[in-house]
Amino acid sequence: MRLLRSSLQSLHSQFSQPLEDLPNEFKPPEKLLYLTPHFEIFLCEDYINFKHRRQHSQHMSEGQTPNIQGDVSSFKERILVHCDLDAFFAAVEILHHNLDPEKPLIIGSDPQGGRGRGIVSTCNYAARAFGIHSAMPVSEAWRRCPGHPFGPGHYIRGSRGLYSRASRQVMSILKEPAEFFEKASIDEAYLDITEHVGGDWDVAYALCRTLQNTIEQKVGLTASFGIAPTRILAKMSSEVNKPKGIFRILPDEIADFFEGRSLREVPGIGPKRATQLAEWGFVTVDEAYVLGELALGRMAGERFAHWLTRVVDGTTSSEVSQLRSRKSIGKERTFSSDQTDHEAVLDVLRSLTHRVLKRSKEMGISGRLAEVKIRYTGFETHTHGRSIPVAMDEPDVFLRLAEHLFATNVQHNRGLRLVGFRLGQLDMPPTRQAMLLLHEEE
């Protein structure tokens, strides 16, 4: 028996009779009453369904009677979905140019036979097998997977307009069943479908399968779906069965999900934090969790320990909203002349990101939205953003986001006049809000 499972199962011993021994539901006119030192369980108006016991125990411990007849506001756990399009940019190019998906496709700057100065925007799964990834120097990508006639790699610049059109088509499909909808980036979105499925997790799974098939049939792209009660769990579950997969985490399966799972798989835990915990001998989430918040806080900081505990307990944010915070922290750099060396510009962006995150830590502020600002010759300006499931202040996390946003959105055949980074959707104590106004970007 794993440590995490045993630590949580101790809660079940408080009941006078194991819940697993109870029938799935009790219908009127039967009466049921269980008294324990911590819980009072009463028969509801129609029935009690013990399939997801945690949800009902929360209602009853607060003296509430859940309305199973469709009052969605009574559901303590929301049913959230995270949709992530599989290798989106490469998939759009393959579809548009009728390319072979089994051959490596690299989108980015002109490699110039391995002598090019530029970066990789993205690539398909076949190219990833060669170790190629977003923001990699295109010369390194060519070394790993040469293009014709020296190797199987197919290099193209990419077409931004194609991606926007495909994204709009997919998002219009996803919006239909969502009570609340949030576009996290051009290729991913969060949906709250609690009301649409009546709080039924099986119906939610079937709905995701329908959405998956509809996107493939109408747009020609594949997508992976994660279903869970919180944003961060939905995000993690969408990664489990990629590509073209669906994975669901029920409220009473959260502990099992984290057993043996690497800390690096949790969004918001970067390489430095994972290395720090590994030096103490903790590599997996359950190993860190069973330490307890106090002991973990002494090793990795109270704030991190509190956050990780909430992640495993399933009590992080379940809010899905289109609203964006107007407050933000940002830095930008205007170049004295147009820059065509995108590798050098990416280095500047990394520096700006570090400066913004350093300032946010000093102010005790975390954020959930990363935005990269790019201005081209002629003052044409574009802003590209991506949100993460929970507010964080880890530099490594936002550095990777900034690199990805720049690499996948920069127009490789144009000179750059300005680059910037902004941290948005801020989470801060009320005492810090006035302080933020004094630190707005110059």
Side-chain angles (χ1 to χ4, degrees), residues 86-96 105 107 123-124 220-222:
D86 301 319
F88 171 66
F89 300 96
V92 171
E93 296 289 353
I94 289 171
L95 188 66
H96 182 73
L105 174 65
I107 303 171
C123 60
N124 65 355
L221 301 174
T222 64

Side-chain angles (χ1 to χ4, degrees), residues 107-109 119-123 134-135 157 404 406-410 412:
I107 303 171
S109 303
I119 58 174
V120 173
S121 289
T122 187
C123 60
S134 174
R157 286 187 181 273
H404 177 78
F406 180 82
T408 55
N409 290 288
V410 68
H412 296 276

Side-chain angles (χ1 to χ4, degrees), residues 134-152:
S134 174
M136 172 182 284
V138 71
S139 57
E140 174 65 17
W142 181 276
R143 187 186 69 80
R144 297 185 182 208
C145 182
H148 183 78
F150 307 103

Side-chain angles (χ1 to χ4, degrees), residues 9 56 116-117 227 229 305 307 348 352-353 359 367 421 433 435:
Q9 281 187 339
H56 290 280
R117 287 285 297 174
I227 312 167
W307 171 78
V348 172
L352 294 173
T353 304
R359 186 166 65 175
F421 176 81
Q433 296 186 17
M435 184 178 177

Side-chain angles (χ1 to χ4, degrees), residues 90-213:
V92 171
E93 296 289 353
I94 289 171
L95 188 66
H96 182 73
H97 297 290
N98 195 27
L99 302 174
D100 184 355
E102 300 301 320
K103 293 185 177 180
L105 174 65
I106 300 94
I107 303 171
S109 303
D110 184 357
Q112 299 179 12
R115 301 183 303 275
R117 287 285 297 174
I119 58 174
V120 173
S121 289
T122 187
C123 60
N124 65 355
Y125 287 105
R128 293 178 190 181
F130 289 84
I132 300 173
H133 57 79
S134 174
M136 172 182 284
V138 71
S139 57
E140 174 65 17
W142 181 276
R143 187 186 69 80
R144 297 185 182 208
C145 182
H148 183 78
F150 307 103
H154 185 64
Y155 288 78
I156 61 175
R157 286 187 181 273
S159 307
R160 183 71 192 173
L162 293 176
Y163 311 144
S164 298
R165 287 195 294 272
S167 177
R168 285 195 297 270
Q169 289 179 281
V170 173
M171 297 304 162
S172 66
I173 294 171
L174 295 174
K175 284 180 181 178
E176 291 185 12
E179 179 183 357
F180 301 105
F181 175 84
E182 180 181 325
K183 181 180 177 181
S185 68
I186 194 171
D187 61 347
E188 63 175 321
Y190 291 93
L191 297 73
D192 186 330
I193 59 171
T194 313
E195 182 176 2
H196 186 84
V197 301
D200 191 315
W201 292 84
D202 294 329
V203 176
Y205 191 96
L207 174 63
C208 288
R209 180 66 70 190
T210 300
L211 290 172
Q212 193 179 61
N213 293 335

